[in-house]
Amino acid sequence: MDYLEIEGGSPLCGEVRIQGSKNAVLPILSAALLYPGVTVLENCPGISDVASMLEILKGYGCTTLREGNKLIIDAGNLHSGRAPEDYAGVMRSSIMLLGSLLGRLGEAFLPYPGGCVIGKRPIDLHLKALREMGAQLQEEPEGIRAVCAHPKGARIRLPFPSVGATENVILLAVRAEGTTVLENAAREPEITELCRFLCSMGARIRGAGTGTVMVTGVQRLHETEFTIMPDRIVAGTYMLLTAAAGGKVILRDVPLWQLASVRKTLAGMGVRLEGKDLKETKKGEGKLDEKASDVLLFSPGRIRGGLQISTAPYPGFPTDLQSPLMAALCTAEGESVVEERIFEARFKTAEELIRMGADICIQGSRACIRGTGRLHGERVEARELRGGAALCIAAAAAEGKTTIHQYHYIARGYENIIRDLKALGVVVNYG
Ligand code: EPZ
């Protein structure tokens, strides 16, 4: 029946381990094509976007094997072929295959990646950057025909720090002749993780995570085994869930150093975080260790509102947590304003929250949220991945029963949200 049933209104109590990162494993699956042999990935989340990507890789001649959260990919018999339409078209991440297929084979045909309800999702920045490295890209009715027999290093400046365009340039640059300098590159932790993976295969990359990434092309890469980092967006989702529903939870394997903007927002709401890495030094400086740790969260249940938050490229507040934040602010005291500055249509979930009793007014790229204290259970529809997660947050905080339909959107990025919500003390069942 593809829906979740949540009985809300009680404070949370429990603990959950954070899954591997969706937005790290997808570009890394593309990067695995660069090596003509076996790649082993650990801590891969069991989400439908990974399953779709594996089907696409098979369409290009790879063999793949999943053993729990371990993935084994053999790209030895990779051919340019053609991605299975029904997968590549529905998933945005398929565009990231362009850089790796050109880097490995010098040619590719790729169906256009799916757009989605959050925005048109154009790929002009990808195409412009790859052309500067010598790629010939023909936009045909069903997709993009690409040829690039001898990719050349180039100095490229992105007009916007696009995550996907940054990833595509790095993937092609690893096998290009000479050095590529990418300016105004995306700084997201998923870029750093992709570069860490590529360097573990023998790539030569500097500046990952800064605005300027330098890649010196290499002749060959070697086998690697790699463990995917935890998912900062899933961690942030469960932090905002706790804020909204109240209670005391433990989150394990949290990449805290990647969540500074979220931690600041939670503090503003009156949510307390404790964890061994959180003891700042006396003078208040000191960097958090860049390794996942366990976090204790305490939320009073009725959180403080009156916040003004704008989404921004990393290290700003992540656009992927904008809907979960909006859901949490619906239960806060006071009026808050959330501004979406990355995607042009990412407020669709507000309509469903309003049906649950939320007081939200959308004006262009800004949402004004007046905390009503209590939402009520309703029949609602997920429209896309993070909006669906936001509805789970609202349902856990609402009085009464909520059914969330189109659950499959949530399964694209959350390995088993039913398992996780139950572990945190939410009364939830699959319809
Ligand atoms: C990645 O998408 C993530 N997806 C998104 O997560 C995330 O929201 C986004 O980065 C921003 O952080 C994956 O990593 C698989 P962009 P991506 O290129 O690469 C415009 C989720 O929920 N743009 O940084 O597509 C674009 O329209 C998903 O996990 C162009 O105009 O994001 C958007 O407004 C949703 N032309 C902005 O840039 C281009 O050629 C950011 O896009 C490319 C992008």
Side-chain angles (χ1 to χ4, degrees):
M1 289 289 283
D2 195 32
Y3 68 86
L4 290 185
E5 193 175 81
I6 292 178
E7 192 68 45
S10 339
L12 304 189
C13 178
E15 65 174 77
V16 79
R17 190 184 79 80
I18 300 302
Q19 70 180 57
S21 165
K22 164 177 101 75
N23 291 348
V25 71
L26 291 173
I28 285 174
L29 283 171
S30 170
L33 301 186
L34 289 168
Y35 173 63
V38 172
T39 297
V40 178
L41 300 175
E42 300 280 1
N43 199 33
C44 297
I47 56 177
S48 58
D49 268 14
V50 166
S52 299
M53 185 62 112
L54 293 177
E55 288 306 313
I56 295 171
L57 296 192
K58 284 185 210 161
Y60 286 109
C62 294
T63 54
T64 68
L65 176 67
R66 175 184 272 282
E67 290 167 357
N69 289 107
K70 179 176 178 177
L71 281 181
I72 301 158
I73 297 102
D74 186 341
N77 299 321
L78 186 73
H79 55 70
S80 53
R82 178 171 183 140
E85 208 93 338
D86 39 358
Y87 289 100
V90 300
M91 202 179 61
R92 166 85 189 160
S93 325
S94 53
I95 187 64
M96 251 171 272
L97 291 164
L98 209 43
S100 46
L101 286 170
L102 287 178
R104 170 80 187 278
L105 302 173
E107 60 172 2
F109 180 83
L110 209 65
Y112 291 113
C116 59
V117 287
I118 67 175
K120 286 193 299 301
R121 314 295 294 273
I123 56 171
D124 55 316
L125 303 184
H126 297 245
L127 303 184
K128 180 174 180 302
L130 295 179
R131 284 185 173 118
E132 290 180 42
M133 297 175 73
Q136 281 115 43
L137 302 164
Q138 191 63 35
E139 294 172 69
E140 298 180 356
E142 298 88 45
I144 300 157
R145 187 166 304 286
V147 175
C148 188
H150 304 292
K152 294 252 182 310
R155 178 175 285 276
I156 300 167
R157 180 170 184 77
L158 290 177
F160 174 86
S162 154
V163 171
T166 299
E167 290 164 344
N168 249 334
V169 169
I170 291 170
L171 288 167
L172 181 56
V174 162
R175 296 299 311 275
E177 188 191 319
T179 297
T180 297
V181 178
L182 180 60
E183 293 173 344
N184 199 25
R187 301 164 182 238
E188 273 68 6
E190 293 76 24
I191 303 286
T192 309
E193 187 78 341
L194 171 65
C195 294
R196 208 161 65 82
F197 170 76
L198 288 164
C199 290
S200 79
M201 293 166 91
R204 292 172 55 198
I205 304 173
R206 280 179 294 141
T210 71
T212 302
V213 179
M214 290 178 72
V215 184
T216 303
V218 292
Q219 281 302 317
R220 64 180 49 75
L221 297 163
H222 55 71
E223 196 161 311
T224 186
E225 295 211 6
F226 189 83
T227 299
I228 302 291
M229 71 180 182
D231 192 312
R232 63 189 172 105
I233 302 301
V234 170
T237 303
Y238 295 161
M239 289 174 166
L240 290 162
L241 165 75
T242 307
K248 174 179 162 186
V249 308
I250 294 175
L251 302 182
R252 300 207 182 278
D253 276 359
V254 176
L256 262 185
W257 77 94
Q258 300 174 359
L259 288 158
S261 62
V262 178
R263 284 175 49 206
K264 193 161 151 251
T265 302
L266 291 166
M269 291 170 154
V271 176
R272 217 166 80 237
L273 273 82
E274 277 182 22
K276 63 179 172 22
D277 287 342
L278 281 181
K279 288 192 190 55
E280 304 289 342
T281 55
K282 279 194 223 30
K283 293 190 284 317
E285 87 261 355
K287 232 157 104 39
L288 282 174
D289 286 352
E290 295 205 356
K291 63 184 187 322
S293 55
D294 297 346
V295 174
L296 212 50
L297 279 110
F298 301 88
S299 167
R302 192 78 206 273
I303 47 179
R304 287 195 299 268
L307 306 182
Q308 307 253 346
I309 307 273
S310 294
T311 63
Y314 191 86
F317 191 90
T319 174
D320 292 347
L321 288 175
Q322 178 261 102
S323 312
L325 171 66
M326 182 158 55
L329 289 172
C330 291
T331 67
E333 272 162 6
E335 179 170 315
S336 301
V337 177
V338 174
E339 186 186 17
E340 173 56 57
R341 295 170 57 192
I342 304 290
F343 288 102
E344 69 272 22
R346 206 165 195 176
F347 282 142
K348 292 264 181 335
T349 307
E351 293 159 29
E352 301 299 298
L353 293 170
I354 290 166
R355 297 182 52 238
M356 295 178 72
D359 179 350
I360 304 173
C361 170
I362 305 289
Q363 292 155 342
S365 65
R366 294 157 68 90
C368 298
I369 303 132
R370 242 176 249 104
T372 59
R374 267 285 174 240
L375 301 173
H376 56 76
E378 260 300 338
R379 182 197 190 285
V380 292
E381 292 241 336
R383 314 279 189 82
E384 38 85 21
L385 165 57
R386 306 300 176 186
L391 293 175
C392 293
I393 292 175
E399 283 300 337
K401 183 166 79 177
T402 299
T403 53
I404 302 172
H405 296 259
Q406 308 293 338
Y407 167 73
H408 62 87
Y409 283 118
I410 303 172
R412 288 190 58 171
Y414 294 81
E415 181 171 71
N416 188 336
I417 204 163
I418 299 168
R419 170 199 67 199
D420 292 351
L421 292 175
K422 276 188 175 154
L424 293 171
V426 176
V427 179
V428 54
N429 286 298
Y430 183 63

